[in-house]
Amino acid sequence: MTLEEIGAWKSFGGWQKVFRHQSNETGTAMEFSVFLPPAAERGPCPLLWYLSGLTCTWENVTAKGGFQRHAAEHGLIVVCPDTSPRGLDLEGEHDTYDFGSGAGFYLDATREPWSTNYRMESYVVAELPALVEASFPADTARQGIFGHSMGGHGALTLALKNPGTYESVSAFAPIASPMRCPWGEKALGGYLGPNRQGDRQTWRAHDTTALIEDGARVPEILVDQGTGDNFLAEQLKPELLEQACTKAAIPLTLRRQEGYDHSYYFIATFMGDHVAWHAERLAR
Amino acid sequence: MTLEEIGAWKSFGGWQKVFRHQSNETGTAMEFSVFLPPAAERGPCPLLWYLSGLTCTWENVTAKGGFQRHAAEHGLIVVCPDTSPRGLDLEGEHDTYDFGSGAGFYLDATREPWSTNYRMESYVVAELPALVEASFPADTARQGIFGHSMGGHGALTLALKNPGTYESVSAFAPIASPMRCPWGEKALGGYLGPNRQGDRQTWRAHDTTALIEDGARVPEILVDQGTGDNFLAEQLKPELLEQACTKAAIPLTLRRQEGYDHSYYFIATFMGDHVAWHAERLAR
């Protein structure tokens, strides 16, 4: 696999870079950003994954999230993948903001026509880490993952499904239970088909609260959630995460932040806390 | 004058807001952003103006500059105006990125068809401060000004031309001498006409180095300039500012930052230093 560098900016003493590569999983060209802190010039650094929300690419959080200051301070490499395959024109792919392009939901689709390309789970969990490990001084024995909204869902579910891979997990305003909100019902139905009853229901492997109920565990979780978030009651439902964690005795630090909304101004405000939280756990 | 609030996001304990109003100076609707730090809830705060560069609106630095963290910490109100009138369709106004819309150069045009609306100097120095003072808890006895590129030129020239108004001035990669670079020659020629010889040349009142040569003074200047900036040699020419300040005995802190370019990644990296620098001087 070949990485093509398509952007590079010096930032907080390190380098913010952007790469394009051909993905086997998605069958398309994919772009991602990587921040290399000053410490990466001296040796391997822990690797922190940031998964973005609906409609975003690597660029939104890279330009507006403000993580570089904190990643430079703590010596973390931060990688921000895209949120879906790009450059395709599947039927209905670009019709709505919450399904198809920009809305991959960090799962491997099983339903036509999505199953060939919409393989964001395998891309984020396996293909891209191998590429990053081969290309940058990343210590893949020390990985953390976080994200926003759909990307918070992605961070939580991927951490729960891959025990031992991610040492730390946190989220900004995550979709706590896609099985129980309109965004999630549309995405899971579209990519996976109806929620078939059986030994296990089809959707449960992609729902944070269901994964926890079914026995998946992470050491602890940090979540920030704005109380002024327009999507709070209908889509995000942090109380469901709270209930699941309480029942499973997973230590959850859920901070309800008064008056904050769903924007990057909210993310930037608490970015420093999250990066420090991961850094502390990845330094162990 | 009526302010219409068109955006409001909680940010670092304060509020990032955006307003639209009808401007007498430009004859158009104008937008600007204002960050209100937590301290503004308790009483008047110093007022820091940020002037943006070519092609930008209030939005670029507000979303990507990362000043909110530092302004919240130091208790400063930060106002970011637009870079030109908007919504007009003057002949040639939208043809090039470096003249007309997005490129007002913080001067009052004297040449037709620009002179009616392109009055960004009066707008930034007089009309908008009066509006801000009337609408927010801003202590206008303590004002600082900074900016980037064309906005660095704006900050420096407006501070030099209005002694006593701005207590502190700094810039990121400013156009040091518009009379002696292609961007400036195009703008000054277009807005002011040929550089007429006389008691004073027409352009000298809008050129930082000429203003200093002609006797204008500020107490001191902070400038950051990336050495990897594509516009350094042809457009920015910090050595001209250095020469003028040396001759005039104006204390200039000019920091050449190795490898940094002209982007917001550069601005964000040194934003904290600049806000702290202004805060220290505005607290006196």
Side-chain angles (χ1 to χ4, degrees), chain A residues 220-280:
Chain A
E220 53 187 324
I221 299 171
L222 169 65
V223 167
D224 277 306
Q225 172 62 60
T227 65
D229 187 324
N230 283 338
F231 303 111
L232 178 54
E234 189 184 6
Q235 305 281 10
L236 305 175
K237 306 186 179 181
E239 66 280 5
L240 298 180
L241 178 63
E242 209 164 29
Q243 290 159 15
C245 285
T246 300
K247 210 166 165 184
I250 296 176
L252 167 68
T253 304
L254 171 59
R255 310 193 301 185
R256 290 182 169 85
Q257 303 287 3
E258 185 64 29
Y260 286 87
D261 70 356
H262 204 64
S263 72
Y264 280 90
Y265 295 104
F266 157 65
I267 296 172
T269 298
F270 301 104
M271 180 60 81
D273 291 353
H274 281 247
V275 173
W277 196 85
H278 286 275
E280 190 184 330

Side-chain angles (χ1 to χ4, degrees), chain A residues 19-40:
Chain A
F19 294 91
R20 184 186 289 127
H21 69 106
Q22 189 63 29
S23 164
N24 294 327
E25 292 293 352
T26 69
T28 65
M30 293 293 286
E31 295 181 2
F32 66 93
S33 78
V34 55
F35 178 72
L36 299 166

Side-chain angles (χ1 to χ4, degrees), chain B residues 73-257:
Chain B
E73 181 192 336
H74 295 288
L76 302 182
I77 293 175
V78 180
V79 177
C80 307
D82 203 346
T83 55
S84 78
R86 304 285 176 176
L88 301 167
D89 197 14
L90 307 177
E91 195 182 334
E93 188 183 12
H94 310 304
D95 291 355
T96 57
Y97 79 97
D98 55 0
F99 189 79
S101 53
F105 267 82
Y106 306 104
L107 52 77
D108 291 347
T110 55
R111 193 158 168 248
E112 294 295 330
W114 312 103
S115 53
T116 305
N117 309 103
Y118 275 69
R119 297 182 51 77
M120 290 301 291
E121 181 173 350
S122 293
Y123 174 70
V124 167
V125 169
E127 184 181 25
L128 191 52
L131 185 57
V132 166
E133 185 173 27
S135 310
F136 307 101
D139 177 1
T140 51
R142 293 184 290 162
Q143 295 185 68
I145 191 165
F146 68 150
H148 172 234
S149 196
M150 175 183 75
H153 143 77
L156 290 165
T157 54
L158 298 186
L160 285 161
K161 295 175 77 171
N162 297 278
T165 300
Y166 306 102
E167 302 285 313
S168 54
V169 59
S170 76
F172 303 101
I175 302 174
S177 180
M179 292 176 65
R180 292 179 277 180
C181 74
W183 279 342
E185 287 165 14
K186 180 174 179 180
L188 299 179
Y191 294 130
L192 306 173
N195 190 21
R196 293 186 302 277
Q197 307 293 326
D199 294 21
R200 276 171 82 101
Q201 295 170 54
T202 318
W203 292 7
R204 294 184 69 83
H206 305 283
D207 182 294
T208 295
T209 62
L211 283 163
I212 292 173
E213 285 166 19
D214 293 345
R217 292 292 179 268
V218 290
E220 54 186 324
I221 299 171
L222 169 65
V223 167
D224 277 305
Q225 173 62 60
T227 65
D229 188 324
N230 282 339
F231 303 111
L232 178 54
E234 189 183 6
Q235 305 280 10
L236 305 175
K237 305 185 180 181
E239 67 279 6
L240 299 179
L241 178 64
E242 208 164 31
Q243 290 159 16
C245 285
T246 299
K247 210 166 166 184
I250 295 176
L252 167 68
T253 303
L254 170 59
R255 310 192 301 186
R256 290 181 167 87
Q257 303 288 4

Side-chain angles (χ1 to χ4, degrees), chain A residues 9-13 16 62-64 68-70 258-261 263 265 268-269, chain B residues 9-13 16 62-64 68-70 258-261 263 265 268-269:
Chain A
W9 305 272
K10 197 162 182 188
S11 168
F12 291 96
Q16 180 61 61
T62 302
K64 302 194 286 189
Q68 293 90 353
R69 162 182 301 273
H70 311 291
E258 185 64 29
Y260 286 87
D261 70 356
S263 72
Y265 295 104
T269 298
Chain B
W9 304 272
K10 196 161 183 188
S11 169
F12 290 97
Q16 180 61 60
T62 302
K64 302 194 287 188
Q68 293 89 354
R69 161 182 302 273
H70 310 291
E258 185 63 30
Y260 286 87
D261 71 355
S263 71
Y265 294 105
T269 298

